[in-house]
Amino acid sequence: MGSVFGNKLKISVFGESHGAAIGIVIDGLPSGESIDLDEVYRQMQRRAPGGDKTATPRKEADIPEVLSGFLCGVTTGAPLCAVIRNTNTRSGDYGNILSAPRPAHSDYAAFVRYGGHNDIRGGGHFSGRLTANIVFAGAVCRQILKRRGIDIAAHIYSIGGVCDEPFEPTGISGELIERLNGEKFALVDPDREGAMREAVDKARANGDSIGGVVECTVQGMKAGIGEPMFGGVENVIAAAVFGVPAVKGIEFGSGFSGSSMLGSQNNDEFYFDENGEVRTRTNNHGGALGGITSGMPIIFRAAVKPTPSISIEQKTVDLENKKNCTLSIKGRHDPCIVPRAVPVIESAAAIAVMNLL
């Protein structure tokens, strides 16, 4: 399985949703970097299940146990390894999908790829449960990046048709970054929360689910980072973000809307600021030109599909008896994973930026 990301900083994710534990190995961290584990835990709690009505009722402590690479509060330079024990599994809920793949899940594709030997319980290695590993690694990277003047923040850009205020493309305040980094339902405009929760509640009441978009920014990146053609800023970030289950699309800057603009509208004009630094008056390019940072904030948005596991009866196939059938999915599932995806997207971005640096 391709569960390793990065070349300068490598992460290797292991475990299954209903196995004994999940975990991660981070190789390539610089030595002597102090890491506040309480802050790491705080970021992980933003993603943890069971803390909000938009999330699955499955409750996991999500407390990582650091096994190596960390001593007396600092990194040693050796691979940093952490495991997170699974303590609240109900594998019996998945008995009826062993031969009946769930629509929009990895079940069928994984069945073919691995000859039916893949662990189906809770999605196994394909489960969103493994994003806890990404948040752990990202929380470590974010502390190192912050000491280098780089901050990362994200928010719920939309749930269904309900939208938040977008980030100011040319830069957001440190106060907003700090607030968003501490919230489980992260919004630029908190007044949008009620309408978003209403959309989630409506989907849940109908036995359905709903998706949305997460917007993320990386601020403080100097110009000149990234390599064309395949080592560009967008390439590396996109590769990490697409490692997050349920992400189905990504755009930078003006993205797809820029394709309907004229060049005179989409182009970002340069100027010297009061400090003599080259900036752009707008940021339709999203902080990268030719795959290389421009010195403007990196801005991207990731599309998150609706949770595939819904209680509405769906049509599928019986792989064992080779006939069409219907499926009623049991278990505990998120009616909307977008709020929990916010810290995961931030963390994927942090891991990608560490590689770029």
Side-chain angles (χ1 to χ4, degrees):
M1 288 187 174
S3 301
V4 177
F5 173 82
N7 49 14
K8 298 172 184 175
L9 178 85
K10 293 183 179 180
I11 66 167
S12 178
V13 174
F14 62 88
E16 292 87 26
S17 178
H18 285 209
I22 59 174
I24 191 165
V25 178
I26 313 171
D27 197 356
L29 285 172
S31 60
E33 293 284 351
S34 61
I35 303 298
D36 181 352
L37 290 181
D38 287 338
E39 176 59 21
V40 172
Y41 300 154
R42 188 169 74 96
Q43 291 303 318
M44 296 191 69
Q45 287 307 303
R46 294 175 63 209
R47 189 224 68 95
D52 191 277
K53 288 196 294 184
T54 60
T56 170
R58 174 180 177 177
K59 294 187 177 182
E60 293 282 4
D62 273 8
I63 298 178
E65 177 185 349
V66 179
L67 303 182
S68 66
F70 189 69
L71 182 65
C72 299
V74 300
T75 56
T76 66
L80 179 62
C81 177
V83 296
I84 304 165
R85 308 290 176 181
N86 292 326
T87 59
N88 188 3
T89 60
R90 286 191 347 206
S91 300
D93 290 339
Y94 297 87
N96 67 330
I97 64 171
L98 291 175
S99 62
R102 296 166 293 178
H105 267 280
S106 62
D107 300 345
Y108 173 69
F111 175 86
V112 175
R113 175 67 178 83
Y114 300 106
H117 298 293
N118 54 299
D119 185 349
I120 202 72
R121 302 168 303 164
H125 191 68
F126 296 87
S127 171
R129 172 92 183 110
L130 275 76
T131 60
N133 296 323
I134 296 175
V135 175
F136 175 84
V140 169
C141 290
R142 290 171 74 173
Q143 293 186 38
I144 297 172
L145 292 171
K146 190 172 183 63
R147 285 194 286 272
R148 288 153 175 77
I150 298 171
D151 287 302
I152 299 173
H155 69 114
I156 304 168
Y157 185 80
S158 67
I159 290 179
V162 184
C163 297
D164 187 19
E165 288 290 330
F167 280 142
E168 170 54 49
T170 57
I172 62 174
S173 69
E175 291 78 9
L176 179 57
I177 291 173
E178 185 175 0
R179 177 171 71 78
L180 293 174
N181 283 345
E183 293 181 348
K184 277 200 166 188
F185 205 97
L187 293 168
V188 174
D189 181 2
D191 291 338
R192 307 293 175 91
E193 181 174 347
M196 287 185 177
R197 288 191 178 276
E198 185 177 339
V200 175
D201 289 340
K202 182 178 180 180
R204 182 200 296 109
N206 292 330
D208 218 328
S209 62
I210 193 168
V213 176
V214 174
E215 184 177 50
C216 184
T217 183
V218 182
Q219 306 210 80
M221 291 279 281
K222 294 181 179 180
I225 299 169
E227 300 178 5
M229 299 177 54
F230 303 112
V233 174
E234 299 105 316
N235 308 55
V236 177
I237 291 176
V241 170
F242 274 120
V244 179
V247 169
K248 298 300 288 183
I250 190 168
E251 64 174 6
F252 290 80
S254 61
F256 287 101
S257 65
S259 67
S260 62
M261 296 180 186
L262 297 171
S264 56
Q265 297 171 315
N266 193 58
N267 292 351
D268 301 305
E269 297 181 336
F270 293 103
Y271 73 100
F272 283 106
D273 69 9
E274 61 275 10
N275 299 315
E277 299 287 337
V278 174
R279 307 282 289 173
T280 59
R281 299 187 185 282
T282 52
N283 191 16
N284 289 318
H285 67 286
L289 294 166
I292 302 170
T293 55
S294 67
M296 296 297 289
I298 295 171
I299 298 276
F300 69 89
R301 287 167 293 280
V304 180
K305 71 179 182 180
T307 315
S309 291
I310 58 177
S311 60
I312 296 172
E313 186 176 81
Q314 301 174 85
K315 295 177 181 178
T316 186
V317 292
D318 185 334
L319 296 173
E320 185 176 350
N321 297 304
K322 294 183 170 50
K323 63 179 183 180
N324 297 324
C325 66
T326 59
L327 174 68
S328 295
I329 299 175
K330 302 176 183 178
R332 300 162 294 177
H333 308 286
D334 302 71
C336 180
I337 59 175
V338 178
R340 295 177 62 201
V342 169
V344 184
I345 298 299
E346 292 171 344
S347 297
I351 294 165
V353 168
M354 282 288 288
N355 268 277
L356 287 164
L357 294 179

